Amino acid sequence: MDCLFCKIVAGEIPARKFYEDDQVIAFHDIGAQAPVHFLVIPKKHIATLNDLDEGDQALAGLLLLTAQRLANQQGCDDGFRLVMNCKALGGQTVYHVHMHVLGQRQMTWPPG
Ligand code: AMP
Ligand code: ZN
């Protein structure tokens, strides 16, 4: 499958991976938008948020809890932002579900 993040999961493309369990991995974003900016992704290929189904409930929760735990481990205990972009209008560029974790700078609202 020609998916960038599946290749990172498989170790075929290098990434600054710093967490892995049987279902998810986390690695630093190559185009960091904040002093802390990493991605938490499922190992399983799911193209977009729209492709999650009820069988993925536990996995979706695991992404959230992993993001929260790793954010705090990365020194974001004063706060952080989670972002998941879905499809073209959502700004998604890599079609393998991922949660962005951004921290250690002041976030503003609304986003651009
Ligand atoms: P999105 O726009 O939500 O699909 O986000 C995709 C993210 O993946 C962007 O923030 C990119 O900087 C990041 N990205 C793309 N290629 C790589 C890579 N090889 N290693 C780490 N992050 C990447
Ligand atoms: Zn994939």
Side-chain angles (χ1 to χ4, degrees), residues 7-112:
K7 287 179 180 161
I8 287 177
V9 169
E12 292 166 17
I13 288 179
R16 291 171 58 214
K17 185 171 79 179
F18 64 96
Y19 178 76
E20 174 168 16
D21 64 23
D22 56 332
Q23 293 184 77
V24 304
I25 67 169
F27 53 95
H28 297 285
D29 194 296
I30 207 168
Q33 300 298 314
V36 171
H37 184 179
F38 63 88
L39 305 174
V40 185
I41 76 169
K43 287 186 167 177
K44 164 180 153 182
H45 181 80
I46 302 170
T48 80
L49 275 179
N50 282 348
D51 300 302
L52 283 173
D53 61 32
E54 267 139 44
D56 297 314
Q57 269 194 31
L59 179 60
L62 181 65
L63 287 174
L64 184 61
L65 287 175
T66 302
Q68 174 237 57
R69 191 179 72 255
L70 296 178
N72 283 286
Q73 283 175 10
Q74 297 277 322
C76 298
D77 39 308
D78 286 333
F80 55 88
R81 176 169 290 175
L82 303 183
V83 175
M84 295 184 85
N85 298 324
C86 184
K87 299 183 67 180
L89 278 188
Q92 185 174 5
T93 60
V94 178
Y95 279 64
H96 179 130
V97 162
H98 50 279
M99 186 174 281
H100 294 258
V101 183
L102 299 125
Q104 293 202 354
R105 73 165 166 81
Q106 181 61 56
M107 297 296 155
T108 57
W109 192 262

